[in-house]
Amino acid sequence: MKSSFLAYIFCLCIFLSPESVFSQSKSSFRVIPLGVKGGIDESNLSSYALAVEGTEEYVCLDAGTLNFGIQKAIAAGIWKGDATEILKSKIKGYLISHGHLDHLSGLVTNSPDDSPKPIYAMAPCIDVLKEKYFSWKSWANFANEGEKPALGKYQYKVLEQATEIPLEQTTMNVKAFALSHSNPYQSTAFLIRHKEDYILYLGDTGADEIEKANNLRMLWQEVSPLIKSKKLKGIFIEVSFSNEQPDKSLFGHLTPRLLMNEMNVLNELTGEGALKGFPILITHMKPAGDREAVIKKQLNELNKLGLNLIFPQQAKLIKL
Ligand SMILES: [Zn+2]
Ligand SMILES: [Zn+2]
């Protein structure tokens, strides 16, 4: 009787709080992928709602899909209530990596029902939003600058290279780094900080060797000390194509081989073993036939460093 009671209590503990039972390190961030793909499926395009664990103050890292991702998160029991109300109340701002539609179409189409909030991006991306999307020819100008009348719901916040600013209405901060996405077209990496904890999110990017650039090397130099000190909790990075994609048709994207080359550069900076078990979250696979399965297989085969490869799924909560 007594032992079965103890077994019952033990099971209850596991059920209620698996992390506190089995893991010493508490998670620092929670991520709800609202969309994960790099094309075709308009209900599932790059957007990651990120908050500090224990808070409901999210920012969206890119905004390809918003409403459908929130609906799925409600269906999955992550959020409760109405999708539009959640968008209005829980999403405190958008960080947009670059001006391609698969990273911002959700922001544009949801804008009539959204609440006032900032849009954080580097200058070239703000220019695209201003000139191409929040203009009266393609939509309505819901932002605070650009074609008149400017409705002023969104406030553009221009991010400068390697300069940290606070993310309003959250306890997070962001530092931006330019990426090369089919040189000279620019994309952005966001280094998010809460106290001593960090997350790195990269928008679309090519490899340094293909782009004839050193943007990624500079980024790896910036974050390698944070990996060594275990302050960086994970890196979101794209792999759009499989290894079969010819170099001339990469259009500023990565393949498993090119990602692992970059990880080797990072590994040289962090020192042997530091990347073992480190979370690398693979984003932006471009659907076509069985390409997504091929990418996963190739990444796993090339994973000599022992990275913890994570493949985010829409509305599947990630704790880092
Ligand atoms: Zn993209
Ligand atoms: Zn792109």
Side-chain angles (χ1 to χ4, degrees):
M1 181 68 194
K2 194 178 168 192
S3 64
S4 68
F5 178 72
L6 286 174
Y8 170 74
I9 294 293
F10 182 68
C11 291
L12 198 65
C13 286
I14 292 171
F15 176 71
L16 291 175
S17 178
E19 275 171 333
S20 61
V21 173
F22 290 117
S23 160
Q24 286 91 10
S25 62
K26 262 179 63 220
S27 57
S28 308
F29 296 98
R30 53 196 277 123
V31 179
I32 304 170
L34 301 180
V36 302
K37 294 179 194 256
I40 298 185
D41 182 352
E42 68 269 38
S43 71
N44 196 357
L45 298 172
S46 294
S47 182
Y48 297 84
L50 168 77
V52 172
E53 186 60 274
T55 78
E56 286 291 310
E57 296 152 354
Y58 289 85
V59 291
C60 281
L61 300 160
D62 281 327
T65 295
L66 295 176
N67 183 273
F68 191 76
I70 295 172
Q71 284 185 43
K72 283 203 73 169
I74 294 168
I78 298 171
W79 277 325
K80 284 191 180 63
D82 170 74
T84 301
E85 286 309 313
I86 288 169
L87 180 78
K88 282 178 163 174
S89 63
K90 294 190 194 288
I91 309 296
K92 307 297 186 185
Y94 303 99
L95 285 74
I96 307 297
S97 64
H98 65 294
H100 288 161
L101 271 170
D102 54 321
H103 299 259
L104 54 77
S105 56
L107 166 59
V108 175
T109 51
N110 280 277
S111 56
D113 295 325
D114 206 352
S115 56
K117 60 193 70 164
I119 297 174
Y120 306 89
M122 294 185 90
C125 178
I126 299 266
D127 287 346
V128 176
L129 284 166
K130 233 185 248 185
E131 291 162 18
K132 306 295 183 192
Y133 301 120
F134 288 128
S135 77
W136 289 95
K137 281 190 186 121
S138 61
W139 198 246
N141 183 9
F142 282 99
N144 63 333
E145 290 170 28
E147 223 174 87
K148 290 194 170 47
L151 299 174
K153 182 182 279 189
Y154 297 121
Q155 301 88 50
Y156 289 129
K157 304 280 181 190
V158 182
L159 300 174
E160 308 283 349
Q161 172 82 10
T163 308
E164 189 182 88
I165 65 160
L167 293 167
E168 291 173 14
Q169 295 190 69
T170 79
T171 54
M172 298 181 282
N173 304 274
V174 64
K175 209 192 245 193
F177 299 87
L179 297 173
S180 185
H181 179 29
S182 206
N183 208 346
Y185 190 83
Q186 190 181 303
S187 173
T188 313
F190 300 113
L191 182 62
I192 309 288
R193 181 181 67 82
H194 166 70
K195 294 183 179 166
E196 296 281 285
D197 295 327
Y198 295 79
I199 285 282
L200 179 65
Y201 173 88
L202 288 84
D204 296 357
T205 182
D208 282 355
E209 66 169 276
I210 306 285
E211 297 286 318
K212 309 283 178 243
N214 64 354
N215 300 61
L216 286 177
R217 174 172 283 277
M218 280 165 33
L219 186 61
W220 304 145
Q221 280 166 345
E222 174 83 16
V223 300
S224 59
L226 302 176
I227 294 174
K228 281 195 268 190
S229 59
K230 302 201 185 301
K231 290 176 181 168
L232 186 65
K233 303 301 175 186
I235 298 178
F236 290 76
I237 188 165
E238 70 132 282
V239 178
S240 296
F241 296 114
S242 67
N243 288 335
E244 285 70 25
Q245 193 78 2
D247 286 359
K248 63 172 175 39
S249 308
L250 287 170
F251 311 109
H253 291 295
L254 294 172
T255 62
R257 180 183 71 80
L258 292 168
L259 174 71
M260 289 305 173
N261 288 351
E262 291 296 339
M263 291 296 101
N264 284 330
V265 176
L266 181 57
N267 188 51
E268 280 165 29
L269 296 165
T270 56
E272 212 54 50
L275 286 176
K276 198 167 189 306
F278 183 80
I280 299 289
L281 300 103
I282 304 298
T283 66
H284 203 269
M285 290 188 279
K286 285 182 175 287
D290 63 349
R291 186 191 279 144
E292 289 157 281
V294 172
I295 289 173
K296 285 182 190 176
K297 183 169 175 284
Q298 292 176 343
L299 281 169
N300 284 318
E301 281 167 3
L302 292 170
N303 186 14
K304 308 291 184 238
L305 294 171
L307 305 165
N308 176 14
L309 296 174
I310 298 168
F311 298 90
Q313 286 178 273
Q314 189 175 41
K316 290 264 162 63
L317 180 67
I318 299 168
K319 295 187 174 200
L320 293 165

